[in-house]
Each structure stands twice: as C-alpha cells, then as structure tokens.
Amino acid sequence: MMTLRELYREGTSLLTWVDEPVLEARVILLKAADISEKTLFLDPDLTVTDEVKDTYFQMLKKRQNHMPLAYITGTQEFWSMLFAVRKGVLIPRPETEGLVEKVTALCPQKNQIIIDVGTGCGNIALSAAKECADSQVVGIDISKQAVDCAQTNASYHKMANVCFIQGDLFEPMDSAGLIKTCGFIVSNPPYVSEQEWLSLDPQIRDHEPKQALVSGERGYEFIRRLVCEAPNYLKPGGHLLFEIGQGQEERVRTFFDETWARIEILNDLAGIPRIFLAQKAS
C-alpha cells in the first residue's frame, strides 16, 4: 500500500519535463483519489487502495504522452468558472478571457442578443451569460461534440439565458430569425494555418481538435467569412469581437469595409495584438 505523500512524490518525479510538475502531480492525484486539497495536506500519510494507485499512474502515463492536463482531469477553469472539457473539444485559454472582459464592459445589464461563434465547451457564451444576465446568448459550433459539451456546462452552471446550436458559422441564425438583431457577435475562431499546425506543440497537435484551430491554408479564411457575414446579423451600432493569431492584424484589417464605423485592435497581457473590436455603422 502507498500513501498520498508517496504517490505525490512519485508523480512529481515523473513530470519533471512539464513547467509545474508539483502542481500537475497534485491536480492529478486529487482527481485520481477523489479527495480535496485539504485532505491531501492534513492527512498526507493516508494509505490509498490499489485501485486509486493504478488510476493515478494511468493518468500520469497519459500526461507523459503529452495529453493536456485538462483532458486528463476533464475540467478547465475559465473566468473563475469550472468547465467540463473532453477530447474533440478545444480547451479554453486564459487569453480568451479578454474577449469576455470587453463584451461585458460594452454590454450593460440590459437586454441584448449575444452570439458566440465557434463556442467549443461554451466558456465564452456562459461567461457572458453570467455577466450579462438580462441578455440572451446563443452559442454556435459546427461540432456536435462541442455543442453537447457546452450544453453539459450550461446545465452544470444552471444558466437559463443561453442556448447552443449546431451549425456552420451563422447558418443557424437564418432559421432563428436573427437577422440584424444582434448586439454582439463574439468568436475565438480557428486562425492557425496548415503550415503552423505542423509545428505546434504535440500537446496541441496530437490531442486537440484540428477543426477548432486550423482555418485553412493561410490561417485567416474563417475570419474573412466572419467579418464579411457578421453585418447581416448585427443591428446598427452592434459589435463584432474576435481573436486573431500573432502577426495577422494587418491582413485581417483589410477584410473590413465601409460597413464598419470603428475598428480597434487590443493587445493581450503579453503586448501582442490579440482582439479585433469592430462596430457596425448606424
């Protein structure tokens, strides 16, 4: 029999290649043993069953094979909320919180329609629904796996002002009658090129869904469609916000025409141009 302390120590030694081996070994152990952090630190010499030990080492093996931690534990935190994630669904990134921050700053507590294109696990849609409680939020994704995952998260967070629909880009909005009615369209779109995909970290390339990351040969094909089609669904004065990849800002700027009254590019915490904010002309 092994103790929690011994398992923790062994796990840390097996994960020396990651940035934070102590943290990751602890997170995996808490999940494998189904215990709280408080239990681990108050009773580290607690012996565990062989089943727990085997589960722990199986999870460590997956991490050694570069499976992202979020897929191993099944959860990822975003906007101080916990989201279920699974294979086939993109893992939320911390920098994407900038989109939610800007939407909530522009959207006072009044009735708006907010569309999240490429919703994934629903992290942007549900975060916006939480902060803009009087608004209606619709998350759209072409992946059924993503929509199912997002619906699971909506049920977990008990959000009544959000729904999720499967479809390609704005396709579901036509039948929903959402023509020129939306106050906000927000998206963390695929913006990786086919060439960039080949050089991505194995944790991403071998495990996360290519469809959610790669837009096409050049990397901005989806964004071009987003910018060109969004005016059909935004009301006058409505806002479009989306992420871009590093070095794409000048090319993406050329996609905008006189339909748009204002265009702004916002940097992320690292000082990299990350978010396009555009307002439709009135």
Side-chain angles (χ1 to χ4, degrees):
M1 302 286 281
M2 295 183 70
T3 67
L4 290 172
R5 188 197 307 274
E6 290 168 337
L7 284 178
Y8 191 7
R9 186 183 301 120
E10 184 70 16
T12 301
S13 69
L14 293 173
L15 296 178
T16 53
W17 59 276
V18 304
D19 290 337
E20 298 181 283
V22 173
L23 172 62
E24 293 205 15
R26 181 169 73 248
V27 169
I28 294 173
L29 180 56
L30 297 180
K31 181 69 175 181
D34 192 22
I35 58 171
S36 67
E37 196 161 4
K38 180 179 179 181
T39 298
L40 175 61
F41 285 99
L42 289 182
D43 198 4
D45 293 316
L46 179 70
T47 57
V48 301
T49 64
D50 288 339
E51 182 181 3
V52 167
K53 183 189 73 172
D54 291 344
T55 299
Y56 182 55
F57 283 110
Q58 287 168 9
M59 295 170 75
L60 289 170
K61 180 69 173 179
K62 291 179 180 179
R63 190 67 183 104
Q64 288 179 298
N65 289 332
H66 299 281
M67 180 179 284
L69 183 63
Y71 286 155
I72 295 171
T73 62
T75 58
Q76 176 69 29
E77 186 176 318
F78 181 89
W79 201 253
S80 299
M81 300 167 67
L82 198 62
F83 290 88
V85 292
R86 61 188 70 149
K87 288 280 286 184
V89 181
L90 189 71
I91 299 169
R93 269 63 170 174
E95 58 267 24
T96 302
E97 291 188 351
L99 278 174
V100 179
E101 183 177 3
K102 198 63 183 179
V103 169
T104 54
L106 291 168
C107 180
Q109 294 293 315
K110 63 181 181 182
N111 187 34
Q112 293 280 350
I113 296 176
I114 303 172
I115 306 298
D116 174 24
V117 178
T119 195
C121 71
N123 54 299
I124 295 175
L126 289 165
S127 300
K130 175 185 177 182
E131 300 299 333
C132 306
D134 293 332
S135 293
Q136 296 299 311
V137 184
V138 179
I140 301 171
D141 205 293
I142 197 170
S143 165
K144 185 179 185 302
Q145 284 179 286
V147 171
D148 289 346
C149 186
Q151 289 172 337
T152 296
N153 284 318
S155 297
Y156 174 78
H157 289 290
K158 296 180 172 59
M159 294 286 186
N161 61 326
V162 61
C163 68
F164 296 99
I165 307 172
Q166 184 182 0
D168 181 21
L169 202 66
F170 294 113
E171 179 187 44
M173 296 176 63
D174 294 325
S175 57
L178 295 176
I179 308 297
K180 293 182 169 55
T181 61
C182 303
F184 294 87
I185 293 174
V186 60
S187 180
N188 178 19
Y191 52 71
V192 175
S193 70
E194 287 285 354
Q195 187 62 38
E196 289 170 329
W197 170 257
L198 298 176
S199 61
L200 288 180
D201 189 303
Q203 293 184 74
I204 300 172
R205 190 184 64 246
D206 296 344
H207 296 280
E208 296 200 66
K210 182 178 181 181
Q211 184 180 44
L213 290 159
V214 176
S215 175
E217 183 180 351
R218 300 187 178 183
Y220 46 72
E221 289 86 345
F222 188 96
I223 291 176
R224 188 198 296 272
R225 289 180 60 199
L226 183 71
V227 173
C228 291
E229 296 180 29
N232 297 326
Y233 305 96
L234 284 172
K235 63 184 180 182
H239 293 85
L240 170 65
L241 300 96
F242 59 89
E243 282 192 36
I244 61 169
Q246 189 168 354
Q248 292 182 334
E249 64 271 19
E250 293 307 318
R251 180 58 177 160
V252 170
R253 192 188 290 272
T254 67
F255 301 159
F256 292 88
D257 58 21
E258 66 278 359
T259 305
W260 303 95
R262 178 168 69 99
I263 301 169
E264 186 178 352
I265 304 175
L266 309 174
N267 292 344
D268 62 18
L269 294 176
I272 298 170
R274 180 64 62 187
I275 295 173
F276 260 82
L277 164 61
Q279 186 173 24
K280 184 180 175 182
S282 299

